[in-house]
Amino acid sequence: DADVTQTPRNRITKTGKRIMLECSQTKGHDRMYWYRQDPGLGLRLIYYSFDVKDINKGEISDGYSVSRQAQAKFSLSLESAIPNQTALYFCATSPRGNTDTQYFGPGTRLTVL
Amino acid sequence: QKEVEQNSGPLSVPEGAIASLNCTYSDRGSQSFFWYRQYSGKSPELIMSIYSNGDKEDGRFTAQLNKASQYVSLLIRDSQPSDSATYLCAVRGGYQKVTFGIGTKLQVIP
């Protein structure tokens, strides 16, 4: 079984719709991250959370929000999706005290029409 | 100037050759440096990390760091077709912040 799972794996939605991407992990890690990956731009950090009560904005948080429901769950929401949010989204985790190694989920391919 | 710069490639090398992947970074206070491998359609996975100047070897992979030149590289010896992937350079600069480069696509030709 995968240690970091993401649902859905693929999603097509329309402009203006609200959408939630979910991430769950069984690695027992405290720290969780949401990235998006775009061709030519690489991986960019959207939000990160060091524990359930600690949530921080990354470099491109505008248009996104997150919820850390439990140590194992970290959700990313697009309140009103727009086409330039079309991208590959990755969730990642890392253990407390070691943010060097990040373990990535399989990714969610999101298309906003 | 991007914080972490890589040539997007593709870098093509024949099977058995040495592949050399390069990365430069802008933050002189950077502490930790990583190479992730990402196969097409898959998620990144860490293959090497390096923290001090010099070389670090792990099997066919060698990471090289030169903090004075703000340069980190990855050498892959005896390249195999299975090494064909995109290699992401990542740098940890300020507090807990890791920045990724755009990645270099490597093609190993049989």
Side-chain angles (χ1 to χ4, degrees), chain A residues 37-49:
Chain A
Q37 189 173 39
D38 301 271
L41 295 176
L43 277 166
R44 292 181 292 166
L45 183 63
I46 305 172
Y47 270 95
Y48 61 102
S49 170

Side-chain angles (χ1 to χ4, degrees), chain A residues 56-71:
Chain A
N56 306 279
K57 293 182 178 180
E59 59 183 298
I60 54 162
S61 58
D62 287 349
Y64 301 95
S65 62
V66 292
S67 173
R68 184 83 183 266
Q69 302 94 325
Q71 186 205 35

Side-chain angles (χ1 to χ4, degrees), chain A residues 9 31 33 35 37 40-43 45 48 50 59 88 90 98-102 104-107 109, chain B residues 2-3 32 34 36 38 41-46 49 51 88 92 95-103:
Chain A
R9 294 293 312 278
R31 302 180 177 190
Y33 311 80
Y35 293 91
Q37 189 173 39
L41 295 176
L43 277 166
L45 183 63
Y48 61 102
F50 285 170
E59 59 183 298
L88 184 57
F90 287 106
N98 177 7
T99 56
D100 292 354
T101 302
Q102 297 194 14
F104 286 82
R109 186 165 295 280
Chain B
K2 292 183 179 178
E3 293 183 46
S32 309
F34 319 95
Y36 284 79
Q38 185 176 21
K42 302 296 184 181
S43 54
E45 59 174 335
L46 182 72
S49 56
Y51 305 100
L88 307 175
R92 181 159 68 90
Y95 179 70
Q96 311 291 6
K97 180 187 176 190
V98 175
T99 302
F100 287 82
I102 63 172

Side-chain angles (χ1 to χ4, degrees), chain B residues 8-104:
Chain B
S8 61
L11 172 67
S12 295
V13 299
E15 183 175 355
I18 296 175
S20 178
L21 305 163
N22 305 313
C23 172
T24 58
Y25 60 94
S26 60
D27 182 356
R28 284 195 171 274
S30 297
Q31 302 291 325
S32 309
F33 308 85
F34 319 95
W35 284 99
Y36 284 79
R37 178 176 62 200
Q38 185 176 21
Y39 291 112
S40 181
K42 302 296 184 181
S43 54
E45 59 174 335
L46 182 72
I47 54 171
M48 290 286 287
S49 56
I50 186 166
Y51 305 100
S52 55
N53 280 330
D55 295 359
K56 179 181 178 182
E57 186 175 322
D58 184 0
R60 295 187 296 112
F61 298 96
T62 298
Q64 300 175 316
L65 175 61
N66 183 326
K67 290 186 178 180
S69 299
Q70 295 174 244
Y71 179 91
V72 59
S73 64
L74 178 70
L75 301 178
I76 306 175
R77 290 181 300 281
D78 188 24
S79 295
Q80 300 297 309
S82 59
D83 294 325
S84 297
T86 296
Y87 289 81
L88 307 175
C89 174
V91 175
R92 181 159 68 90
Y95 179 70
Q96 311 291 6
K97 180 187 176 190
V98 175
T99 302
F100 287 82
I102 63 172
T104 298

